[in-house]
Amino acid sequence: MIAKTILDQFFSRSKFDPFVVDYWGSERKQYGRGEPRFTLRLEDEGVASDIVKRIDLGFGEAYMDGRLDADHME
């Protein structure tokens, strides 16, 4: 899926503290080095597409729809 690849590249280049993304279908990937500070869970492949299409609203709308969840966010 193209959107997932784009999202993976974006996360790979991020300067955020280390974090984990649980992708749909049981794939888990850590970005950054060290102990992860938080985990994002993407419930379906449409979430990646929505985020890539509208980065400004994609995360928030997916969270409000229950298709993206996060834990230990500070």
Side-chain angles (χ1 to χ4, degrees):
M1 176 179 192
I2 294 172
K4 182 178 178 184
T5 301
I6 293 169
L7 201 55
D8 178 62
Q9 290 174 356
F10 173 76
F11 288 151
S12 294
R13 292 184 178 112
S14 74
K15 304 293 185 213
F16 300 117
D17 288 337
F19 63 98
V20 169
V21 176
D22 285 339
Y23 290 98
W24 60 95
S26 73
E27 181 183 348
R28 175 177 261 224
K29 186 162 182 185
Q30 179 168 332
Y31 298 92
R33 292 182 166 171
E35 185 69 25
R37 301 279 307 227
F38 61 92
T39 300
L40 290 177
R41 282 179 297 286
L42 307 180
E43 299 297 328
D44 59 72
E45 60 188 84
V47 174
S49 182
D50 291 346
I51 291 170
V52 169
K53 287 178 189 172
R54 296 275 326 250
I55 192 86
D56 57 337
L57 295 175
F59 277 100
E61 288 181 353
Y63 179 79
M64 289 179 1
D65 292 343
R67 296 171 46 226
L68 178 144
D69 196 14
D71 63 11
H72 304 297
M73 299 280 300
E74 296 177 6

